[in-house]
Amino acid sequence: MSAPPNEFYSEERWQNWLDRISDEDLDPEDEDSARLLLNLQDDAAIAVAKVVRAHDDGEIDADQAVEEVDDIREIVLGEVEFDDEEKELLVDDVQTSLVCVFYAAEEYVTGGPAEEAGVEEYVRAAADAEAEEDLDAALGYVVQAGTLIIDGEELDLTVAEELEYGLVSTWVNGLDSLQSAMSDPEVVEEDEDADDEE
């Protein structure tokens, strides 16, 4: 059975988060601000995880799953504008973190999990590629790690902590959200009503 449009995610849902961020006085060092940004990121990852799960359960085929993930990506990676440039940068970091989540989900539903290495090896290979300024290869390795996380392997966060700050560390942060989403797809749902209230 085909999933109804917007079942997994919607423009309105994303906008609700952006409105919340717009209303907040964000400080990345503040615990509440950090949690809000993490919830924004986790919520999108949960939507992707639900698409993958629907595919695995036979509710939608691979083409539908890719289309659903692409729809979520178009919503989440759209340009955002705030009066506060720092807020734009913080949300941009969230968007960057989620790039590999979308690609990993599409790769998983069309080709299955990677087979040539484990999560840690792919993450280290991505870091090496980034050091050599080969960002396409770096993203490819992180995406392969993501397919394994979807398949049930775990990301050892001590590996992430060893990474230099950059694109790979940001993408791996997204993989952490993906891992949480695959293990507990309802983690942000309890906050939804509170987030939507004015």
Side-chain angles (χ1 to χ4, degrees), residues 151-193:
D151 197 45
E153 287 198 29
E154 289 196 7
L155 169 67
D156 184 351
L157 290 182
T158 59
V159 176
E161 291 167 2
E162 296 171 4
L163 298 172
E164 296 286 334
Y165 179 76
L167 279 174
V168 170
S169 66
T170 304
W171 290 330
V172 169
N173 182 265
L175 293 186
D176 184 36
S177 287
L178 178 61
Q179 179 167 277
S180 297
M182 293 304 300
S183 62
D184 184 4
E186 305 299 331
V187 68
V188 190
E189 298 292 348
E190 293 177 4
D191 294 340
E192 183 182 351
D193 291 339

Side-chain angles (χ1 to χ4, degrees), residues 85-171:
E85 184 178 349
E86 184 175 14
K87 288 183 180 180
E88 290 184 0
L89 292 173
L90 291 170
V91 173
D92 183 69
D93 271 354
V94 169
Q95 292 172 311
T96 302
S97 294
L98 290 165
V99 166
C100 65
V101 173
F102 301 128
Y103 283 127
E106 292 185 356
E107 179 71 19
Y108 176 83
V109 299
T110 58
E115 298 178 347
E116 296 181 3
V119 172
E120 181 177 328
E121 289 87 349
Y122 279 123
V123 170
R124 293 189 188 284
D128 290 343
E130 182 179 28
E132 296 172 4
E133 299 186 356
D134 189 347
L135 298 182
D136 287 341
L139 178 59
Y141 288 130
V142 176
V143 167
Q144 295 303 306
T147 66
L148 292 172
I149 289 169
I150 292 172
D151 197 45
E153 287 198 29
E154 289 196 7
L155 169 67
D156 184 351
L157 290 182
T158 59
V159 176
E161 291 167 2
E162 296 171 4
L163 298 172
E164 296 286 334
Y165 179 76
L167 279 174
V168 170
S169 66
T170 304
W171 290 330

Side-chain angles (χ1 to χ4, degrees), residues 5-51:
N6 298 327
E7 176 184 344
F8 297 102
Y9 207 73
S10 67
E11 183 77 47
E12 181 182 9
R13 188 177 182 91
W14 174 249
Q15 189 60 50
N16 284 338
W17 285 106
L18 296 184
D19 290 345
R20 174 82 180 274
I21 289 170
S22 182
D23 292 341
E24 294 284 335
D25 188 14
L26 282 191
D27 176 358
E29 302 299 320
D30 177 70
E31 183 177 340
D32 289 340
S33 295
R35 185 182 301 113
L36 176 59
L37 291 165
L38 181 60
N39 284 349
L40 168 72
Q41 180 171 309
D42 284 351
D43 194 47
I46 286 168
V48 172
K50 287 181 175 179
V51 173

